[in-house]
Structures are given as structure tokens and as C-alpha cells.
Amino acid sequence: MRQYIFKKSTGLVISCCIFLFACDHNTGQQSVSLSVPGIKHSIKQTLDSVNASMSTYIPDSELSRLNQAAPHTWISISDPLFKVISEAQKISVLSDGAFDITVGPLVNLWGFGPVDQVNLPPPEARIKSLLENVGFKKLHLDNHKKLVMKDLPGIYIDLSAIAKGYAVDEVARVLENKYSIQNYMVEVGGEIHAHGINATANIWRIGIEKPVSNLRTVERVINLDNMAMATSGNYRNYIDIDGIRYSHAIDPHTGWPVKHHLASVTVLHPQCMVADAWATALLVSGPEAGLQMARRYGLDTLFIVNDNGSFREEVTGKFAQYFARD
Ligand code: ADP
Ligand code: MG
């Protein structure tokens, strides 16, 4: 039976890792769907518009302009950007600040943003000073008028942990609403939404990688129908300084990459945006606090913990019901 395995994106450049998994090597339904006139163009337009709004890698994106805007002023932003920022803020509250889109200056300092990689851990004084600009409570939203206000000039928003999921939702919406396509799978940088059946007339089967950096092997296979899935891991995207691995998941309370033994978290949710953000939130929270949080909110998750080189799985909610059995 056909199954699909996605690598998590190593690049954090949203503009690079956004793509529709077009299954060119695939025959049947999926390819037929993509040959509908205009569909590729529509998808490209959708992704381009997400990037033009939410990428920090595009200097004149809406988000880049917001990041440069003056503090203490209400700024009007587009509906999509508002939607993503307000969902991010909700998850920040629920995750006790583990998820925080204002962590951007630290992401950049550690070399995971649209800047050069670093060779040394940054000086603690620099971390401390940038932390003054970090904190989701320093960002205010006016839900009615769709306005945003920053408390400090140095607040810099990074949507890398949620925008890919949002892009998946948007592409899925275009496929369904504009083209009435019911059988598809969309993937952007490792975040996925699958619906209906694949080319072999079966429910989509998606592989979750074993969280090891040098191999691409499957830990689990998931049956995914009308559901989104996102994974955040420490095993692919990290920097190596003097033999020590530093994760791209930054603890917004300390300004340091997380150091625990949680190798990856996979979250299932009807909205890929939500799955994406929670995967990062839980990864940052770590194996104990993260698991507690997932249970508290009834999230469907798979935690893979690295216990001295062997992997231990923990599932919450209904996750186990999605395991493919054969
Ligand atoms: P990927 O980018 O591999 O899909 P994630 O969805 O987990 O992985 O997003 C990780 C990215 O999110 C980091 O590279 C960084 O840009 C940003 N980030 C890091 N720490 C946090 C955090 N605590 N809260 C929100 N975003 C974060
Ligand atoms: Mg994420």
C-alpha cells in the first residue's frame, strides 16, 4: 500500500519550503486534479500571498513592515495576518508562553532566522538584552478593528512556527471551495492536510519520521482523512557548536534553545495552523510539561522522547486511533 513520508523542512525560509505535494510521480486522482485548468496558478497565488503577508525573509512583506513599525501606535493589518497572529496569541496564553511569536530576535541571534548561522553561543548579556523585547503580552490586538500595537520598538514577530500550517489550510480551502476537489493531500514544509482518498483509492497514509538526524526512517504510519498533522522536532533543524547541538526551538523565558530529551512532537488537528503552532508549543514545553499540557487540552499528539538513544512514545487524546495497522 502506498504511503507518504515527509521530511521536516531543514530550511526555515518560508518562501523556499512552501509547496504543494503535487505527486508528479503519482498517477490517478491527484494528478488529474492538478491538471484542472488554473489550479496550479491558484495554488501559487495562494502561497505567494501568504509569503507576501507573513514571511520575515521578504524585506517588504506585510510582516516585515509591521516589524519595522513604530511602537505605541495601532497598526491595521490584513485579515489573514490578523488571523494568524491572534491564533498565535491564544496558543501563547494556553501554553504559558512556551509558544511566543515575539521570540524572533532570539531566533535570529541563534542563527535560525533570515541571518547568518552562528559559530559561538551568543553572549549571555546579549541574550538578556534581547529578551527585553520578547513576550507575547507586549503585543496587543484589537479584535474588532483588526489592529495590532507593539509596546516596544524592538518587538519582532516570527511566524515560522505557524504560517506553514496556515498556508496548508489555505491551499486546502482553495482546492475544496474553488475546485470542488475532495481527494487531495497538501504539504508545506512538513505540515500536512489530507482529505479523501489517494491514487490507489485508499485513505492517505503518512509516515512520521524517526527523530534521528542522519537517517530517514519511519517511526509510525498514520491514516489521515480530513485532518491535518504537524511535527516539530529537534532532530533536523539545529546548529552544532563545538559538538553541542542547539535546537531551533527557543525557550522564550530563557532565550536559550531547549535542552530536554523530547525529540519530536506530532499534533493532529482539523486546522493545520493550530496543529503547527501546538507542535512547536509542546516541543518547547518539553517531555513532562508538554505532555501534561497536551492532556489538559485534550490534544491528539504523539511525543517521541529520546531515552539515552532509544525512543519512547507517548500518545495523548485519540492519536492512537490514527495509527495504520498492517
Ligand atoms: P519547522 O520550521 O521545522 O516546521 P516549527 O514549526 O517547530 O518547525 O517552527 C520552528 C521555528 O519557529 C523556529 O525555527 C523559529 O523560527 C520559531 N520558533 C522558535 N522557538 C519558538 C517559540 N518558542 N515560539 C514560537 N516560534 C518559535
Ligand atoms: Mg510549528
Side-chain angles (χ1 to χ4, degrees):
M1 208 187 275
R2 194 187 291 262
Q3 100 196 6
Y4 301 82
I5 305 155
F6 292 104
K7 65 182 173 71
K8 282 296 290 177
S9 60
T10 45
L12 291 164
V13 188
I14 290 189
S15 50
C16 285
C17 57
I18 285 189
F19 63 97
L20 173 83
F21 191 80
C23 305
D24 282 345
H25 58 279
N26 205 359
T27 52
Q29 224 116 16
Q30 186 76 356
S31 327
V32 171
S33 307
L34 283 169
S35 67
V36 172
I39 196 165
K40 281 188 181 164
H41 178 70
S42 285
I43 291 165
K44 184 177 181 308
Q45 252 183 355
T46 307
L47 297 178
D48 286 350
S49 91
V50 173
N51 275 315
S53 175
M54 297 173 205
S55 177
T56 42
Y57 290 78
I58 301 176
D60 64 344
S61 70
E62 192 184 6
L63 181 59
S64 293
R65 282 183 277 119
L66 174 62
N67 280 339
Q68 285 149 29
H72 312 301
T73 314
W74 284 108
I75 298 154
S76 172
I77 58 172
S78 66
D79 287 358
L81 185 58
F82 192 89
K83 182 175 176 176
V84 172
I85 292 179
S86 69
E87 186 63 41
Q89 292 289 85
K90 273 186 217 158
I91 294 176
S92 293
V93 173
L94 296 175
S95 66
D96 304 323
F99 186 81
D100 194 326
I101 54 172
T102 68
V103 81
L106 271 313
V107 171
N108 293 348
L109 182 68
W110 281 96
F112 293 113
V115 284
D116 292 342
Q117 290 245 318
V118 297
N119 303 314
L120 287 171
E124 194 57 44
R126 185 86 184 117
I127 295 175
K128 286 268 159 358
S129 95
L130 287 183
L131 271 179
E132 285 169 22
N133 294 310
V134 175
F136 67 95
K137 292 178 185 159
K138 297 170 186 160
L139 191 66
H140 308 278
L141 301 184
D142 179 329
N143 289 318
H144 187 61
K145 295 189 188 142
K146 308 256 165 76
L147 305 173
V148 185
M149 184 168 68
K150 314 191 285 185
D151 276 351
L152 297 165
I155 287 178
Y156 174 98
I157 301 169
D158 171 7
L159 296 176
S160 304
I162 186 168
K164 290 194 289 290
Y166 173 78
V168 168
D169 292 336
E170 284 304 286
V171 171
R173 200 168 59 89
V174 166
L175 295 178
E176 286 194 36
N177 296 357
K178 194 164 173 195
Y179 295 96
S180 301
I181 293 170
Q182 291 300 316
N183 301 311
Y184 62 83
M185 175 179 56
V186 177
E187 188 256 345
V188 175
E191 326 304 6
I192 295 162
H193 183 106
H195 199 275
I197 51 171
N198 64 18
T200 56
N202 293 298
I203 291 179
W204 294 93
R205 291 162 57 86
I206 313 291
I208 297 175
E209 274 188 299
K210 251 189 214 317
V212 285
S213 51
N214 51 347
L215 281 175
R216 294 211 188 282
T217 48
V218 172
E219 166 85 13
R220 281 287 188 177
V221 179
I222 301 295
N223 282 325
L224 211 61
D225 183 16
N226 199 15
M227 188 56 75
M229 179 176 116
T231 300
S232 281
N234 285 328
Y235 57 102
R236 194 82 68 207
N237 204 337
Y238 57 83
I239 48 166
D240 193 315
I241 304 174
D242 292 337
I244 300 174
R245 279 188 189 180
Y246 294 90
S247 165
H248 68 142
I250 310 284
D251 181 343
H253 300 113
T254 64
W256 277 74
V258 296
K259 281 182 192 142
H260 48 60
H261 297 290
L262 179 52
S264 79
V265 180
T266 300
V267 179
L268 298 174
H269 195 278
Q271 276 180 283
C272 200
M273 166 175 70
V274 176
D276 192 7
W278 268 119
T280 303
L282 297 172
L283 180 72
V284 171
S285 300
E288 287 94 26
L291 208 51
Q292 271 181 13
M293 214 175 265
R295 294 204 173 106
R296 187 180 336 142
Y297 299 122
L299 297 167
D300 300 329
T301 71
L302 170 69
F303 282 57
I304 306 178
V305 184
N306 188 339
D307 280 337
N308 299 316
S310 70
F311 294 119
R312 174 167 56 85
E313 291 184 353
E314 303 273 2
V315 290
T316 70
K318 300 185 296 297
F319 200 96
Q321 292 177 17
Y322 294 83
F323 287 145
R325 267 169 272 272
D326 50 80

